[in-house]
Amino acid sequence: MTVHPPVVGHCDELQEALGAFRASAHITERWGRRLAAVLAGGGRLLVAGNGGSAAQAQHLTAEIVGRYRDDRPPFSAIALHADTSSTTAIANDYGVDEVFARQVRAHGREGDVLMLLSTSGASANLLSAADAGRAAGMRVWALTGCEPNPLMAGSDESLCVAAPSTATVQEIHLVAVHMICAAFDAALERGVRGTGRRR
């Protein structure tokens, strides 16, 4: 992998990573279509991440509950880290590794989607959440940094970004989020049939 100079080199690093990531566009398209079918059928999206990845995860839920480009109905999407009372209570009572897994067990249902974002792919609380999601019969998707990593191995599907810095991985994750949203909206416009579980 190329070593880039600081500051301006960040643009070069991003361009290099984005070029490589473009080959993964079919995965974001498939995820967007699948998500549209699940949510249109009454299912739910649960998302989690730590730090900057938490911000990216919350960005995704905002686009799904609100809108990405054009107006459309709202759909159910929850950023697990955004409930500070639950996260702090769970961390205090059960430990940090359970902070997302316990919420997955509370909110996730068979057929729902759990998306986990991690630049390292090694966060213990996300690995526990993936286990809880699979046990609940959810589809578990991971957006990570370089492969291989434990979260990739613990998910049904993963999208791994080959980039040397955390910042660039996060920036590509935002691109992936927007690509998923574009595919999601396109599937809804085509009248995708719902496959989620109505509550």
Side-chain angles (χ1 to χ4, degrees), residues 97-118:
D97 289 359
E98 279 293 301
V99 79
F100 299 134
R102 192 165 179 87
Q103 292 183 79
V104 168
R105 289 191 287 271
H107 302 302
R109 301 293 181 268
E110 184 175 357
D112 286 349
V113 174
L114 173 64
M115 187 180 296
L116 304 170
L117 289 81
S118 172

Side-chain angles (χ1 to χ4, degrees), residues 63-145:
E63 304 283 29
I64 298 298
V65 175
R67 68 175 185 182
Y68 175 53
R69 288 185 178 144
D70 300 323
D71 194 29
R72 56 155 169 73
F75 293 91
S76 181
I78 301 171
L80 299 179
H81 56 274
D83 184 348
T84 54
S85 293
S86 289
T87 55
T88 54
I90 294 166
N92 187 61
D93 294 344
Y94 299 96
V96 176
D97 289 359
E98 279 293 301
V99 79
F100 299 134
R102 192 165 179 87
Q103 292 183 79
V104 168
R105 289 191 287 271
H107 302 302
R109 301 293 181 268
E110 184 175 357
D112 286 349
V113 174
L114 173 64
M115 187 180 296
L116 304 170
L117 289 81
S118 172
T119 57
S120 69
S123 301
N125 56 10
L126 296 177
L127 295 172
S128 296
D131 290 343
R134 287 196 320 277
M138 300 178 73
R139 293 173 184 86
V140 181
W141 297 339
L143 270 176
T144 75

Side-chain angles (χ1 to χ4, degrees), residues 19-36:
F21 180 76
R22 198 176 192 285
S24 303
H26 65 285
I27 298 174
T28 61
E29 186 172 0
R30 184 171 67 247
W31 285 6
R33 285 196 315 264
R34 186 73 216 164
L35 190 58

